[in-house]
Amino acid sequence: MRLNGKGQQSHRMAVLLAIFVLMTALIFYSSNSSEGLYSPFHAVTNNFVKSTNLKKWSGKDGYIPLYRNKSFTLRCQSCALVTSSSHVLGSGAGNEINRSECVIRMNDAPTIGYESDVGNRTTLRVVAHASVFRVVRRPNEFLHQTDNNSTIIFWGPPNKIGKDAKGTLYRLIQRVSMTYSNLSFFTITPSKMRKFDNLFQRETGRDRQKSHSWLSTGWFTMVIAIEVCDNIKVYGMVPPNHCGTKPGSKKVPYHYYKPRGPDECLMYTQNEGGRRGNHHRFITEKQVFRRWAKQYNISFTHPEW
Ligand SMILES: *[C@@H]1O[C@H](CO)[C@@H](O)[C@H](O)[C@H]1NC(C)=O
Ligand SMILES: *[C@@H]1O[C@H](CO)[C@@H](O)[C@H](O)[C@H]1NC(C)=O
Ligand SMILES: *[C@@H]1O[C@H](CO)[C@@H](O)[C@H](O)[C@H]1NC(C)=O
Ligand SMILES: *[C@@H]1O[C@H](CO)[C@@H](O)[C@H](O)[C@H]1NC(C)=O
Ligand SMILES: *[C@@H]1O[C@H](CO)[C@@H](O)[C@H](O)[C@H]1NC(C)=O
Ligand SMILES: *[C@@H]1O[C@H](CO)[C@@H](O)[C@H](O)[C@H]1NC(C)=O
Ligand SMILES: *[C@@H]1O[C@H](CO)[C@@H](O)[C@H](O)[C@H]1NC(C)=O
């Protein structure tokens, strides 16, 4: 009798729990779909994650020099990773960033005119194939005003910037690297590009190509920063749950140097939910960064998380 009662009770509990879970899922779903845009990319992380040691995940030979016999030997104890997000505006972090041993930036994020918030040194700049023209057409900004011996890494599909591509883009970056020979220019090898894809799959459970995802420059930069730096302070990156939780949250431009550009959260949620064609998974990437932050010495500031 008692046993039976207990069994019944636990059965009822199970049913209640199931209903609760279902309701929560429904509420969550409808609160997302009420925004119309944000049905998130379904990363299936937790079951799939096999932790990768990013300090030595792909050997030393991932980077090819564009000119001369250089090897990518940059190592820093502490790095400032300055994002391109307009969350850096008003931070007044310029001096602090300048004082970091190494300063890492992305694409064509400028320093001139924004020094008080982003500093003016650049040790390493990671540039997407799609941003090459924007960087090289303003050499005064991106190629003159740099630290001693600063480094630029170009990433992109091997058929665009690979050595064997011999296309316009490859010739352009090769010419630039000869002209500015006091800087060091590298491209990412095809085999390392594949490793970046595999890493995405290991960390999210989704095949990058089959899930129509594009990796962002932020993804490449974070991984390279972990390889290079003992500890990293990230400026201007929002946490993964930032967009969508507060419907009325303040709109801020996606890039600090494009005040009239698209809203950051709109950019993130539209991409995350994008199905047709390829899309960035900015939010999923940040979920992975949150995990890496526990594994490596990474902290986030402006906003802090
Ligand atoms: C390039 O550098 C490596 C080691 O840094 C050296 O072993 C090799 O001989 C160099 N090659 C040329 C052509 O200078
Ligand atoms: C400059 O950086 C490149 C690439 O990291 C390295 O091969 C070279 O030895 C460095 N040169 C100096 C003078 O530090
Ligand atoms: C550091 O950043 C400040 C902006 O706060 C800038 O004015 C200054 O020139 C920078 N100093 C160095 C050494 O780069
Ligand atoms: C590097 O070389 C370029 C072109 O020769 C020059 O304009 C620039 O001032 C140099 N930068 C440094 C830090 O020496
Ligand atoms: C940063 O700014 C300071 C002065 O404000 C200047 O002396 C220094 O050369 C600048 N550094 C770079 C890398 O532009
Ligand atoms: C660049 O390197 C040279 C030689 O190592 C050094 O004299 C100079 O002070 C350095 N410049 C900067 C801005 O660090
Ligand atoms: C992590 O980085 C902070 C500075 O950002 C430093 O003070 C601390 O010692 C580092 N911890 C480890 C374990 O490296």
Side-chain angles (χ1 to χ4, degrees), residues 250-280:
K250 202 166 130 251
K251 288 196 189 320
V252 304
Y254 172 56
H255 284 155
Y256 66 81
Y257 49 95
K258 287 180 192 148
R260 293 169 171 281
D263 171 56
E264 184 180 73
C265 275
L266 192 65
M267 194 75 172
Y268 286 3
T269 55
Q270 277 184 339
N271 266 282
E272 194 74 9
R275 289 291 178 271
R276 236 164 293 142
N278 280 12
H279 291 276
H280 287 294

Side-chain angles (χ1 to χ4, degrees), residues 98 111 115 120-122 145-147:
N98 275 352
T111 55
E115 293 89 343
N120 74 345
R121 293 180 39 226
T122 305
Q145 303 235 341
T146 46
D147 279 20

